[in-house]
Amino acid sequence: MKRIVTILILFLLFAVSVYSQKDHQKADRLYEKAEQSYGRHDFMQAFKQINEVLKEDSAYCNAYLLMGDIYYDMQKPDLAINAYTKAVAIDSALFPPAFYIMANLQFELERYPEAKRNYLTYLSFYPKNQTEIRKAERNIGLCDFRADLMKHPVPFNPVNLGPNINSEGYEYINSVSTDEELMIFTRKGTEQGANESFYRSIKNDSKWGLALPMEPPINSDGNQGALCLSPDGMFLFMTCCSRRDSYGSCDLYVSHRRGNQWSEPENLGDVVNSTAWDSQPCLSADGRTLYFVSTRRGGFGGSDIWRTTLLPDGSWDVPQNLGDVINTSSNEMAPYIHQDGRTLYFSSNGLKGMGGADLFMSRLGVNGNWSVPTNLGYPVNTKDDEINLVINAGGQSAYISSAKEGGFGNTDIYRFDLPQEVRPAPISYVKGKVYDKNDLHPLSADLELIDMQSGKVVVNSFSDAASGGFLLSLPVDKGYALNVACKGYLFYSQNFSIENGRDLNNPLMLDIPMQPVSVGEKVILHNIFFESDKFDLKAESTAELDKLTEFLQNNPLLKVEIGGHTDNVGTDQHNLDLSQNRAAAVFKYLADHGIQKERLIAKGYGKTVPVDTNDTPAGRANNRRTEFKVLSK
């Protein structure tokens, strides 16, 4: 009896096995047909055949893998992940690269914890593909980095600048003037082969006016882009490509403004430009350092950030690479050096970021080294490319070009509040007009701004010949000496301080009347200083004394009187002696620096010639002064 039962059981098992083999063989045949349909890119037929496979065998792992491949090719990542997930749930060891494929899809979808888990699972199978291993290991670190940024988002409130600025095409922010009254940007149309052109907008009543194309010679029939407006508004540095005088595919050019007219762009020459691609210029506030991007030899990667400095003779020095703290083996782009002179913003797809190209900030230390770049954070940076960024002078706001949903076109310009931790030092500015004191006509004059504490020249600029206007950006909480010189005129000097917190909408305004050189005219030397109740010249007087020396050298026929004046504090004789000794100290400095003594007279007036009341501290300070007067010419 037991034997009969055993035979019966064996028979039943054999029957089930035969039936299962036939069932599996049918599923195999259907799967082969699905693969053939997939090979012909007949995805709908392949899906139909896959469903038939799963009806025959719901645990047919390869069917889910093929389904995932089809959804992958159809660019439906969520459905592809679902299919691969079902496949590895049935048999995780059948095709371990499925974990790698899923991880890549989840990585692109910014599902970083899931991506990391699947990368680790893939690596646990000890794969042999070294390229995949390196990518998995790199992306695991990026998963942690990006997940952390997304867990701690920075404040980000981008405001679209509206239809006066943005179009259905592409807008790329280039420059915003120091006073935020002028914006220049690059626009590219949507038509095939469209060139880039420069547009400008002027702010009226806190609103940007309708952007208009810049007139020739700035815009031309060729291809130009990546423009920088100098902080004083007098120069445009721009990129022009494939011009007759180009040294490479794209070169750096400069144009000078006179009134509302710009000069023909001039190539910066073969010291700055190379036979490669040179683009994306940005000028420092002092006008002496030009940052730009180049693919020239000697860099660390595809495109690097370089800088060149202006030499005393007006030529540019050999460019220097910013080094491997800033530049990587990939691409660094779009440098923006803030007017504080030490905070650099740029874009990189080689530094650790949210994906594509991210925006970074680095500060220049007192030792001349750049700090390790700081990612501007999420959601300022996203998985897409963030490249163009411009910061306003005060450092609170930024302008960015972005392809965000809900815009007017492909890429729009937005304004947002810059996160506190990546803001530069605040900058204010001085704005004014230089003109002839007698007939009030505007003058083009040289302006030199000196940090009174360090004695260093921080800005060299000039006023516009057509309007006499000028604008100088400068750090706050410092004292400055301003010297203004114009051929045929006595030079002008002034000093002032910029307080922290000064409203950028209410800058320091200076009208500068220039006195033609004529006998009897006087100039107050505002930037000559003495120790209290002494006649020892302070070190911060040197810049003004050198300017006076230069003025006398340029006007060799002039004979001048150096006059010393005091307030009414102290005895008459003491004040007379003090003023005489102070005038003599200036006399000696000039004589020691090459001015013939026969051209100089030192005279002390004591308190006898006040220019203000002696009843207030401010009035007495104005009366304590040094002047020079033209005696003959």
Side-chain angles (χ1 to χ4, degrees):
M1 184 68 180
K2 290 181 179 179
R3 184 169 174 271
I4 295 173
V5 171
T6 301
I7 292 172
L8 181 60
I9 292 173
L10 290 173
F11 176 78
L12 290 172
L13 289 173
F14 175 76
V16 170
S17 175
V18 170
Y19 179 80
S20 297
Q21 288 176 12
K22 289 182 179 179
D23 185 53
H24 193 72
Q25 289 172 357
K26 183 177 180 181
D28 285 343
R29 290 195 298 272
L30 290 170
Y31 176 75
E32 288 177 4
K33 291 181 179 180
E35 277 193 323
Q36 292 170 1
S37 297
Y38 172 67
R40 296 192 302 270
H41 293 89
D42 187 352
F43 295 156
M44 294 303 101
Q45 181 65 20
F47 275 134
K48 181 179 179 181
Q49 291 160 338
I50 288 172
N51 288 330
E52 291 177 357
V53 171
L54 295 175
K55 285 181 182 179
E56 297 295 330
D57 184 355
S58 61
Y60 200 102
C61 185
N62 278 328
Y64 287 110
L65 289 172
L66 182 58
M67 184 184 295
D69 291 343
I70 296 173
Y71 281 130
Y72 183 98
D73 289 352
M74 294 175 68
Q75 297 183 356
K76 295 183 177 181
D78 287 310
L79 294 175
I81 292 169
N82 289 338
Y84 289 131
T85 300
K86 291 178 181 178
V88 298
I90 295 170
D91 187 350
S92 61
L94 177 64
F95 186 64
F99 290 101
Y100 176 77
I101 297 171
M102 277 195 296
N104 286 337
L105 292 171
Q106 290 159 338
F107 188 84
E108 291 300 318
L109 292 172
E110 299 179 289
R111 290 157 55 175
Y112 297 117
E114 299 170 59
K116 178 182 177 181
R117 185 166 58 250
N118 281 321
Y119 279 130
L120 290 171
T121 302
Y122 169 68
L123 293 176
S124 70
F125 285 95
Y126 301 102
K128 295 182 179 180
N129 188 314
Q130 294 301 311
T131 300
E132 292 181 355
I133 292 172
R134 286 192 295 270
K135 182 175 180 178
E137 291 174 342
R138 180 181 67 88
N139 283 1
I140 287 171
L142 287 174
C143 284
D144 290 335
F145 177 80
R146 294 179 182 179
D148 183 66
L149 286 186
M150 295 178 74
K151 191 181 295 183
H152 304 93
V154 298
F156 187 53
N157 56 339
V159 177
N160 193 295
L161 295 190
N164 279 355
I165 299 295
N166 296 310
S167 70
E168 63 180 9
Y170 302 82
E171 277 75 37
Y172 303 105
I173 183 68
N174 291 138
S175 277
V176 175
S177 61
T178 303
D179 56 9
E180 283 195 270
E181 293 182 0
L182 171 67
M183 175 187 293
I184 301 179
F185 61 92
T186 302
R187 175 177 289 171
K188 183 179 180 181
T190 56
E191 63 274 14
Q192 187 174 2
N195 282 333
E196 296 178 338
S197 296
F198 297 123
Y199 279 70
R200 65 194 298 269
S201 173
I202 297 175
K203 186 181 285 186
N204 295 308
D205 298 327
S206 301
K207 295 182 179 179
W208 290 107
L210 180 64
L212 299 173
M214 297 187 71
E215 296 180 354
I218 301 303
N219 278 325
S220 69
D221 293 335
N223 194 13
Q224 55 271 319
L227 171 150
C228 159
L229 178 69
S230 63
D232 63 7
M234 299 304 294
F235 294 95
L236 282 179
F237 290 84
M238 57 192 290
T239 305
C240 300
C241 302
S242 303
R243 293 199 173 188
R244 292 180 180 178
D245 60 347
S246 295
Y247 296 92
S249 59
C250 292
D251 280 11
L252 300 175
Y253 288 72
V254 63
S255 175
H256 167 232
R257 179 173 66 85
R258 179 185 173 92
N260 293 322
Q261 299 298 315
W262 291 96
S263 67
E264 185 71 32
E266 181 180 348
N267 192 298
L268 289 187
D270 59 358
V271 173
V272 174
N273 290 308
S274 68
T275 56
W277 176 80
D278 301 295
S279 183
Q280 301 173 355
C282 185
L283 188 70
S284 62
D286 62 7
R288 295 176 179 172
T289 305
L290 183 68
Y291 295 79
F292 64 97
V293 173
S294 179
T295 58
R296 68 186 61 199
R297 292 181 179 180
F300 292 88
S303 61
D304 280 12
I305 299 175
W306 299 70
R307 67 180 175 188
T308 177
T309 55
L310 191 65
L311 298 173
D313 64 0
S315 63
W316 292 98
D317 200 1
V318 176
Q320 301 295 317
N321 190 289
L322 260 59
D324 59 1
V325 173
I326 300 296
N327 293 309
T328 69
S329 59
S330 296
N331 297 301
E332 279 62 52
M333 300 158 283
Y336 181 83
I337 186 71
H338 188 258
Q339 286 99 315
D340 70 357
R342 54 184 294 266
T343 309
L344 177 71
Y345 300 86
F346 64 99
S347 179
S348 172
N349 61 9
L351 295 169
K352 190 178 290 187
M354 289 298 300
D358 274 22
L359 294 167
F360 294 85
M361 180 276 295
S362 176
R363 301 189 196 277
L364 184 64
V366 293
N367 58 0
N369 296 326
W370 294 100
S371 66
V372 175
T374 298
N375 190 293
L376 263 57
Y378 173 86
V380 175
N381 287 315
T382 68
K383 65 178 181 179
D384 298 319
D385 287 335
E386 277 75 40
I387 297 177
N388 299 89
L389 186 75
V390 170
I391 314 297
N392 74 343
Q396 312 97 327
S397 300
Y399 296 84
I400 190 173
S401 296
S402 179
K404 297 183 180 300
E405 293 184 5
F408 291 87
N410 288 277
T411 302
D412 284 6
I413 299 175
Y414 294 78
R415 189 178 192 269
F416 69 97
D417 295 331
L418 197 63
Q420 187 70 42
E421 57 273 17
V422 293
R423 289 183 179 181
I427 294 294
S428 187
Y429 61 96
V430 178
K431 193 174 183 180
K433 180 179 179 181
V434 183
Y435 56 91
D436 184 291
K437 183 179 180 180
N438 295 333
D439 63 15
L440 307 183
H441 77 267
L443 296 173
S444 176
D446 294 324
L447 296 99
E448 183 180 71
L449 198 64
I450 300 166
D451 183 329
M452 292 177 63
Q453 183 176 3
S454 67
K456 294 181 178 179
V457 176
V458 292
V459 177
N460 277 311
S461 186
F462 56 90
S463 56
D464 179 35
S467 66
F470 68 90
L471 187 152
L472 307 174
S473 59
L474 57 162
V476 299
D477 277 350
K478 287 190 175 184
Y480 296 95
L482 175 65
N483 290 315
V484 184
C486 183
K487 187 176 181 179
Y489 291 81
L490 300 176
F491 80 87
Y492 174 95
S493 72
Q494 187 58 271
N495 62 74
F496 52 85
S497 61
I498 299 294
E499 305 85 9
N500 196 355
R502 171 177 284 274
D503 184 3
L504 288 178
N505 295 319
N506 185 30
L508 180 62
M509 302 296 294
L510 288 178
D511 277 349
I512 299 178
M514 300 293 287
Q515 177 63 50
V517 176
S518 56
V519 175
E521 291 297 333
K522 299 177 183 178
V523 171
I524 297 177
L525 301 169
H526 289 284
N527 300 317
I528 290 182
F529 308 97
F530 297 92
E531 297 291 346
S532 178
D533 204 35
K534 296 181 180 180
F535 51 88
D536 301 308
L537 285 163
K538 286 188 173 183
E540 51 263 44
S541 304
T542 301
E544 182 107 318
L545 290 166
D546 289 343
K547 274 294 174 185
L548 180 56
T549 302
E550 181 183 353
F551 171 78
L552 292 172
Q553 289 171 341
N554 292 335
N555 296 272
L557 300 180
L558 287 187
K559 184 176 181 179
V560 300
E561 174 192 280
I562 307 300
H565 300 266
T566 68
D567 57 25
N568 67 346
V569 177
T571 66
D572 291 352
Q573 188 60 49
H574 174 76
N575 285 331
L576 191 63
D577 292 342
L578 180 62
S579 63
Q580 180 64 42
N581 287 330
R582 286 181 170 179
V586 175
F587 179 105
K588 183 178 185 304
Y589 187 96
L590 296 173
D592 289 346
H593 287 76
I595 304 301
Q596 298 93 329
K597 293 181 180 180
E598 294 76 16
R599 299 175 58 197
L600 305 173
I601 293 177
K603 185 174 182 178
Y605 289 88
K607 67 175 185 179
T608 61
V609 190
V611 292
D612 205 341
T613 179
N614 277 308
D615 296 333
T616 65
R620 289 192 293 273
N622 288 333
N623 288 329
R624 297 189 299 270
R625 68 196 188 279
T626 304
E627 298 177 338
F628 81 87
K629 179 172 68 173
V630 178
L631 299 177
S632 64
K633 54 182 287 190

